[in-house]
PDB file of all heavy atoms in Angstrom:
ATOM      1  N   PRO A   4       0.917   8.524   0.876  1.00  0.00           N
ATOM      2  CA  PRO A   4       1.650   9.810   0.650  1.00  0.00           C
ATOM      3  C   PRO A   4       2.295  10.156   2.048  1.00  0.00           C
ATOM      4  O   PRO A   4       1.827   9.856   3.147  1.00  0.00           O
ATOM      5  CB  PRO A   4       0.439  10.824   0.400  1.00  0.00           C
ATOM      6  CG  PRO A   4      -0.549   9.957  -0.194  1.00  0.00           C
ATOM      7  CD  PRO A   4      -0.508   8.614   0.462  1.00  0.00           C
ATOM      8  N   ASP A   5       3.444  10.779   1.878  1.00  0.00           N
ATOM      9  CA  ASP A   5       4.247  11.123   3.091  1.00  0.00           C
ATOM     10  C   ASP A   5       3.499  11.793   4.288  1.00  0.00           C
ATOM     11  O   ASP A   5       3.555  11.388   5.455  1.00  0.00           O
ATOM     12  CB  ASP A   5       5.523  11.854   2.812  1.00  0.00           C
ATOM     13  CG  ASP A   5       6.586  10.944   2.178  1.00  0.00           C
ATOM     14  OD1 ASP A   5       6.222   9.742   1.944  1.00  0.00           O
ATOM     15  OD2 ASP A   5       7.716  11.413   2.022  1.00  0.00           O
ATOM     16  N   PRO A   6       2.744  12.903   4.005  1.00  0.00           N
ATOM     17  CA  PRO A   6       2.057  13.591   5.103  1.00  0.00           C
ATOM     18  C   PRO A   6       1.021  12.602   5.832  1.00  0.00           C
ATOM     19  O   PRO A   6       0.892  12.589   7.063  1.00  0.00           O
ATOM     20  CB  PRO A   6       1.340  14.754   4.413  1.00  0.00           C
ATOM     21  CG  PRO A   6       2.208  14.980   3.211  1.00  0.00           C
ATOM     22  CD  PRO A   6       2.548  13.634   2.740  1.00  0.00           C
ATOM     23  N   ALA A   7       0.260  11.881   4.907  1.00  0.00           N
ATOM     24  CA  ALA A   7      -0.690  10.885   5.501  1.00  0.00           C
ATOM     25  C   ALA A   7       0.005   9.755   6.312  1.00  0.00           C
ATOM     26  O   ALA A   7      -0.519   9.258   7.301  1.00  0.00           O
ATOM     27  CB  ALA A   7      -1.552  10.317   4.458  1.00  0.00           C
ATOM     28  N   ALA A   8       1.175   9.388   5.858  1.00  0.00           N
ATOM     29  CA  ALA A   8       1.977   8.400   6.554  1.00  0.00           C
ATOM     30  C   ALA A   8       2.360   8.829   7.981  1.00  0.00           C
ATOM     31  O   ALA A   8       2.284   8.050   8.923  1.00  0.00           O
ATOM     32  CB  ALA A   8       3.205   7.964   5.753  1.00  0.00           C
ATOM     33  N   ALA A   9       2.717  10.082   8.162  1.00  0.00           N
ATOM     34  CA  ALA A   9       3.132  10.591   9.417  1.00  0.00           C
ATOM     35  C   ALA A   9       1.957  10.489  10.370  1.00  0.00           C
ATOM     36  O   ALA A   9       2.061  10.186  11.574  1.00  0.00           O
ATOM     37  CB  ALA A   9       3.711  12.029   9.318  1.00  0.00           C
ATOM     38  N   VAL A  10       0.750  10.852   9.876  1.00  0.00           N
ATOM     39  CA  VAL A  10      -0.520  10.859  10.733  1.00  0.00           C
ATOM     40  C   VAL A  10      -0.753   9.338  11.091  1.00  0.00           C
ATOM     41  O   VAL A  10      -1.128   9.087  12.236  1.00  0.00           O
ATOM     42  CB  VAL A  10      -1.684  11.469   9.941  1.00  0.00           C
ATOM     43  CG1 VAL A  10      -2.954  11.243  10.714  1.00  0.00           C
ATOM     44  CG2 VAL A  10      -1.452  12.983   9.730  1.00  0.00           C
ATOM     45  N   LEU A  11      -0.683   8.441  10.117  1.00  0.00           N
ATOM     46  CA  LEU A  11      -0.910   7.078  10.440  1.00  0.00           C
ATOM     47  C   LEU A  11      -0.023   6.533  11.446  1.00  0.00           C
ATOM     48  O   LEU A  11      -0.389   5.832  12.426  1.00  0.00           O
ATOM     49  CB  LEU A  11      -0.761   6.253   9.147  1.00  0.00           C
ATOM     50  CG  LEU A  11      -0.829   4.752   9.165  1.00  0.00           C
ATOM     51  CD1 LEU A  11      -2.219   4.316   9.805  1.00  0.00           C
ATOM     52  CD2 LEU A  11      -0.585   4.209   7.771  1.00  0.00           C
ATOM     53  N   LEU A  12       1.255   6.905  11.350  1.00  0.00           N
ATOM     54  CA  LEU A  12       2.291   6.442  12.342  1.00  0.00           C
ATOM     55  C   LEU A  12       2.061   7.026  13.806  1.00  0.00           C
ATOM     56  O   LEU A  12       2.204   6.335  14.700  1.00  0.00           O
ATOM     57  CB  LEU A  12       3.783   6.866  11.842  1.00  0.00           C
ATOM     58  CG  LEU A  12       4.246   6.216  10.607  1.00  0.00           C
ATOM     59  CD1 LEU A  12       5.511   6.947  10.159  1.00  0.00           C
ATOM     60  CD2 LEU A  12       4.540   4.681  10.849  1.00  0.00           C
TER      61      LEU A  12
END
Side-chain angles (χ1 to χ4, degrees):
D5 283 8
V10 173
L11 174 60
L12 292 171

